[in-house]
Amino acid sequence: MSLLILGIESSCDETGVALVRADGSAVPRLLAHALHSQIEMHQAYGGVVPELASRDHIRRVLPLTEAVLHETGLRLDAVDVVAYTRGPGLAGALLVGAGVACALGAALDIPVLGVHHLEGHLLSPFLSSDPPEFPFIALLVSGGHTQLMRVDGVGRYAILGETIDDAAGEAFDKSAKLMGLGYPGGPALSRLAEQGDAKAFKLPRPLLHSGDLDFSFAGLKTAVLTQAKKLGDELAARKADLAASTQAAIVEVLVKKTLAALDQSGMRRVVVAGGVGANRLLREQLNAACAKRQVRVHYPELALCTDNGAMIAMAAAMRLQSGQQQANRDYAFDVKPRWPLDAICT
Ligand code: KG4
Ligand code: ZN
């Protein structure tokens, strides 16, 4: 079996398109990917404006498709399957990718496959030059999700713990916003934190000693707000310290809970996926802690931590290759703005 899979991501504020080749046995290969980020467009509003996001996906998706075809020298009629993000995400934005995928599928008379966005993140480390092997513990830290999982194979995901309120990405974004760092806050906050003292402010480490693998970040955001208010006019001068202290609190909880998941499961391998996985401090601390325990850590390539089409094409390739799912010719596209990962587990 050799399949050429076109992947389309449009769940939020990035349009991503990619081509992946699945040859049957080995890990599928990324041939090309192209991305357009809407960050600049949404920056003026301090966050994603869903209607603007949908309209921009419409503008970008076909030129990006042409770009990956051009880069690989392949023609559209060489594509065997069109994969798209079916959910979770913004309904209108998802509909653009689903609509284009189904239209292409119908026009080319080839099957389509709706992919779970978080499964895309989860499997994105397989796109790296040092792909993991099953089984592993996964720390999935995207803008809206923070979950620890035991992953035994494609579709075999057991959630060990998750956030009971805000996600780690939200804690970064909301803290950054109240410090006036704009959107998206995570990268801005972590850049500023490089110049700050992480011990300057004592911030809570929620649920650190709860004994389970759940997270809670809403209280941390409130503590950052209280601290910012206390500082008043001084905030401008102490912003880097507050950013560093906030980042340290979030990262400490993520690292300690991941280590606890490794201890509890006896696993020797961990995979970090999702946008927050791009955070340098998280990588440094997790790498150091895992090196001590002789645990292997895998990350997606930095450019593939945040949303992209490559992870969608890859997840589709791995699902098809493992026999977990078949692509279909039912072009009645339905998207799932809310879609728990458990729903696709076997
Ligand atoms: O996975 P992702 O691109 O989108 C979702 O599926 O949600 O994750 C976006 C999240 C945002 O919260 C963003 O602030 C965060 O990832 N993020 C970071 C960094 N880069 C992106 N957070 C901390 N440090 C970073 N370097
Ligand atoms: Zn994402």
Side-chain angles (χ1 to χ4, degrees):
M1 174 190 89
S2 173
L3 287 178
L4 182 65
I5 297 158
L6 178 73
I8 300 175
E9 154 64 30
S10 72
S11 67
C12 189
D13 56 354
E14 255 113 21
T15 323
V17 178
L19 282 169
V20 160
R21 169 81 66 192
D23 281 321
S25 51
V27 177
R29 273 177 309 121
L30 176 64
L31 305 183
H33 85 106
L35 193 70
H36 176 79
S37 170
Q38 304 176 352
I39 284 178
E40 245 174 62
M41 181 179 78
H42 296 296
Q43 244 155 9
Y45 307 92
V48 180
V49 183
E51 179 59 24
L52 294 183
S54 313
R55 288 189 223 164
D56 201 58
H57 287 307
I58 294 173
R59 273 194 292 273
R60 308 290 174 181
V61 66
L62 289 177
L64 290 171
T65 305
E66 276 160 15
V68 293
L69 290 169
H70 182 74
E71 190 181 331
T72 53
L74 292 164
R75 287 163 43 121
L76 194 55
D77 59 13
V79 174
D80 296 301
V81 177
V82 187
Y84 62 95
T85 306
R86 189 178 178 202
L90 301 169
L94 290 167
L95 281 168
V96 176
V100 169
C102 290
L104 284 175
L108 297 166
D109 192 24
I110 56 173
V112 295
L113 186 75
V115 171
H116 196 292
H117 180 84
L118 293 180
E119 185 175 46
H121 278 301
L122 187 63
L123 300 177
S124 62
F126 285 92
L127 291 158
S128 74
S129 51
D130 176 29
E133 276 170 35
F134 298 114
F136 52 78
I137 291 294
L139 172 67
L140 187 59
V141 272
S142 67
H145 293 82
T146 299
Q147 293 176 329
L148 274 164
M149 265 176 272
R150 183 194 160 102
V151 176
D152 286 292
V154 179
R156 294 168 63 203
Y157 317 130
I159 294 174
L160 305 175
E162 60 190 328
T163 184
I164 57 171
D165 43 51
D166 288 354
E170 268 174 296
F172 270 108
D173 292 341
K174 289 178 177 173
S175 304
K177 197 166 188 176
L178 62 89
M179 286 181 224
L181 299 179
Y183 149 89
L189 191 146
S190 68
R191 264 195 309 276
L192 184 63
E194 305 266 324
Q195 302 147 32
D197 173 9
K199 294 201 174 78
F201 299 102
K202 252 194 143 96
L203 295 171
R205 269 66 171 157
L207 299 190
L208 189 59
H209 302 293
S210 60
D212 60 22
L213 299 172
D214 285 339
F215 302 89
S216 163
F217 290 105
L220 175 61
K221 170 201 64 197
T222 310
V224 175
L225 178 63
T226 309
Q227 194 55 253
K229 278 189 180 152
K230 228 195 255 173
L231 284 167
D233 293 343
E234 249 189 274
L235 176 63
R238 306 289 310 278
K239 227 184 243 186
D241 287 345
L242 189 55
S245 303
T246 306
Q247 175 174 253
I250 298 171
V251 167
E252 184 181 343
V253 178
L254 292 176
V255 171
K256 294 228 164 115
K257 292 270 174 169
T258 305
L259 297 178
L262 286 163
D263 288 345
Q264 287 176 26
S265 64
M267 294 265 195
R268 321 278 329 142
R269 197 182 285 276
V270 61
V271 157
V272 181
V276 182
N279 186 269
R280 221 174 80 186
L281 185 73
L282 175 65
R283 288 185 176 219
E284 274 171 21
Q285 296 203 353
L286 198 60
N287 287 347
C290 288
K292 259 193 220 157
R293 294 160 182 246
Q294 287 167 335
V295 167
R296 287 288 315 272
V297 197
H298 298 262
Y299 304 92
E301 306 287 346
L302 263 185
L304 300 177
C305 276
T306 45
D307 295 347
N308 62 81
M311 68 184 198
I312 300 306
M314 187 64 166
M318 291 182 73
R319 282 190 88 79
L320 292 170
Q321 203 161 273
S322 67
Q324 281 290 324
Q325 199 173 342
Q326 304 217 313
N328 64 74
R329 281 185 164 73
D330 173 9
Y331 306 121
F333 54 95
D334 65 327
V335 297
K336 289 180 174 284
R338 287 183 182 277
W339 194 13
L341 191 61
D342 313 33
I344 59 159
C345 294
T346 48

